Amino acid sequence: MQKNTNFMTQKSLNKNLHNAKTSKKDEFYTQLSDIERELKHYRTHFKDKVVYCNCDDPRISNFFHYFSYNFEKLGLKKLITTCYKNQNADLFSQNDSERAIYLEYNGDKTGNNVPDPNEIGIKHLKGDGDFRSKETIELLKQADIVVTNPPFSLFREYVAQLVEYDKKFLIIGNVNAVTYKEVFKLIKENKLWLGASIHSGDREFGVPDDYPLNAAGYRIDNQGKKFIRVKGVRWFTNLDYNERHEDLILYKKYTPEEYPKYDNYDAINVDKTKDIPMDFDGVIGVPITFLDKYNPDQFEIIGLANDKREKDDAFIQAEPYYLDEQHKNFVGFVVNGKATYARIVIKNKKI
């Protein structure tokens, strides 16, 4: 049997994010422009709601800035923000305080439509402000919608907490998180999906002063603040928006030559979402970036196949396949003896 000498062993996670995960450098500060571009799709969801940003320095956070300055426009009921071990007014502090603070904002009281300092309630937490702590969970219980950029290395645990407490949310993560069994199961059950504004490319984040800038795509602004560009970023949410229900326009027709079947599973392979055949009524394997265009009214998600060997009902168990001595009994999808990246398995509902 032909061995696959081109099997991709390098993780598809962007190097910057991978380094952040392994070194626990989880502090990536979202730009206000990215927040504004995404939040404009959800304005109707926020009326009379309590918004909680539980992974932010509440005095400098761009999430707090957005919601406090748009409090009346969105019709919010209350805004709460907390951060981990940070009482320093500098956004890029070292998180070395053993106590943290949280802010509550209940809207403009002076009529100037600006969140003045005397309108913002500053309260001290007993602990360090970790989102898993008892007192921050009590704040979470008050919230209707959680909006933040959670720690990359704790993304699974963070999403699990939101689901446990049945919260609406809009959070930032890496696109590869869709392959986590806990996350993909929610996607398959139509309880979580990708946001509206980021479908490709990279995004710039602020990072702490001590962040190691050993990769391409970083800059230092005229105030000495560090920024780094990160690939594969997506918004994750369970807030619906109109664009999610627009059909993906399909234009190609199926041929066996252009769409080979997998060696170890009865489905055809499609390498690019735009190339999904318009007339094929069988099972199709597509890249995980398909979720950028996923319309639940147009497609059914059957499962996910990859090489992580995680067990879950939402995962496709392909026949084990011998690739080479290093990758015996490979369990992901294989085409003509070559392994693919993770594949979402779908069917077109409208054929």
Side-chain angles (χ1 to χ4, degrees):
M1 183 177 294
Q2 179 183 359
K3 295 182 179 179
N4 174 24
T5 58
N6 295 319
F7 177 67
M8 302 298 292
T9 58
Q10 181 181 2
K11 293 183 179 180
S12 55
L13 185 63
N14 173 264
K15 181 179 179 181
N16 297 338
L17 283 180
H18 177 60
N19 289 341
K21 181 175 180 179
T22 55
S23 66
K24 304 304 180 186
K25 293 289 185 181
D26 282 336
E27 294 174 79
F28 290 87
Y29 303 110
T30 311
Q31 299 297 293
L32 181 61
S33 58
D34 288 323
I35 296 171
E36 291 173 336
R37 276 192 289 267
E38 182 68 19
L39 266 295
K40 69 181 182 181
H41 296 274
Y42 309 92
R43 292 186 186 278
T44 59
H45 290 280
F46 288 92
K47 185 174 176 57
D48 298 322
K49 296 297 191 295
V50 176
V51 172
Y52 186 31
C53 308
N54 60 347
C55 296
D56 300 85
D57 184 317
R59 289 147 297 189
I60 306 289
S61 163
N62 282 323
F63 285 102
F64 179 79
H65 180 100
Y66 176 84
F67 284 112
S68 60
Y69 277 84
N70 289 278
F71 193 96
E72 283 73 29
K73 185 182 296 185
L74 294 170
L76 296 183
K77 181 179 180 180
K78 182 191 290 187
L79 171 62
I80 307 172
T81 54
T82 61
C83 67
Y84 177 67
K85 288 187 180 181
N86 196 345
Q87 296 188 51
N88 192 319
D90 177 11
L91 173 62
F92 303 96
S93 64
Q94 302 301 309
N95 291 339
D96 53 2
S97 170
E98 289 306 313
R99 293 183 62 193
I101 60 102
Y102 73 96
L103 304 187
E104 284 190 358
Y105 181 61
N106 293 283
D108 179 47
K109 301 295 189 297
T110 63
N112 63 357
N113 293 319
V114 174
D116 297 315
N118 61 351
E119 296 173 333
I120 300 171
I122 302 176
K123 301 183 179 182
H124 289 271
L125 295 169
K126 295 180 180 179
D128 60 14
D130 189 298
F131 71 88
R132 298 161 293 188
S133 68
K134 183 177 179 180
E135 57 187 342
T136 58
I137 289 175
E138 289 303 313
L139 292 174
L140 176 66
K141 291 177 181 179
Q142 300 179 32
D144 299 300
I145 307 175
V146 177
V147 186
T148 192
N149 181 354
F152 290 116
S153 66
L154 299 174
F155 194 81
R156 294 179 191 240
E157 188 173 357
Y158 189 84
V159 171
Q161 184 187 82
L162 295 176
V163 172
E164 179 183 355
Y165 289 95
D166 194 25
K167 296 302 174 182
K168 295 293 184 181
F169 57 86
L170 180 64
I171 60 176
I172 293 178
N174 186 269
V175 68
N176 290 285
V178 305
T179 66
Y180 302 161
K181 65 181 182 180
E182 301 89 345
V183 176
F184 185 77
K185 185 174 182 180
L186 297 172
I187 292 173
K188 184 176 183 294
E189 296 172 353
N190 203 30
K191 297 178 180 178
L192 180 152
W193 44 86
L194 299 188
S197 68
I198 305 178
H199 291 161
S200 63
D202 53 10
R203 289 296 182 275
E204 187 176 71
F205 292 83
V207 291
D209 290 337
D210 64 338
Y211 191 88
L213 298 181
N214 54 5
Y218 73 87
R219 70 178 178 90
I220 301 176
D221 69 10
N222 55 13
Q223 295 180 332
K225 302 299 184 183
K226 294 181 179 180
F227 296 86
I228 194 164
R229 299 198 72 85
V230 178
K231 295 181 180 179
V233 175
R234 295 294 190 277
W235 291 92
F236 292 75
T237 188
N238 57 0
L239 300 173
D240 208 1
Y241 56 93
N242 292 334
E243 294 85 349
R244 195 170 80 93
H245 299 279
E246 295 176 355
D247 276 1
L248 173 65
I249 304 302
L250 307 176
Y251 67 96
K252 300 190 74 169
K253 292 189 176 181
Y254 167 75
T255 65
E257 295 76 21
E258 186 171 1
Y259 300 98
K261 283 192 172 183
Y262 296 110
D263 300 347
N264 56 342
Y265 189 76
D266 187 16
I268 64 169
N269 180 63
V270 174
D271 288 324
K272 296 180 180 179
T273 300
K274 67 181 181 64
D275 293 335
I276 295 173
M278 60 187 294
D279 56 347
F280 188 76
D281 64 353
V283 181
I284 305 170
V286 293
I288 61 174
T289 50
F290 160 80
L291 293 174
D292 290 326
K293 302 293 185 181
Y294 171 51
N295 173 0
D297 308 317
Q298 183 181 15
F299 293 100
E300 173 191 1
I301 292 181
I302 298 172
L304 175 85
N306 63 7
D307 63 340
K308 293 183 179 179
R309 302 173 191 262
E310 291 189 277
K311 300 295 184 181
D312 190 270
D313 292 341
F315 278 47
I316 297 293
Q317 298 301 313
E319 290 294 324
Y321 196 92
Y322 186 92
L323 287 168
D324 52 36
E325 290 296 331
Q326 185 179 358
H327 306 99
K328 292 180 179 180
N329 299 321
F330 178 78
V331 295
F333 283 169
V334 177
V335 178
N336 296 325
K338 295 183 179 181
T340 67
Y341 287 112
R343 285 292 187 264
I344 296 175
V345 181
I346 63 170
K347 285 193 71 172
N348 191 331
K349 290 181 176 182
K350 297 193 173 183
I351 298 180

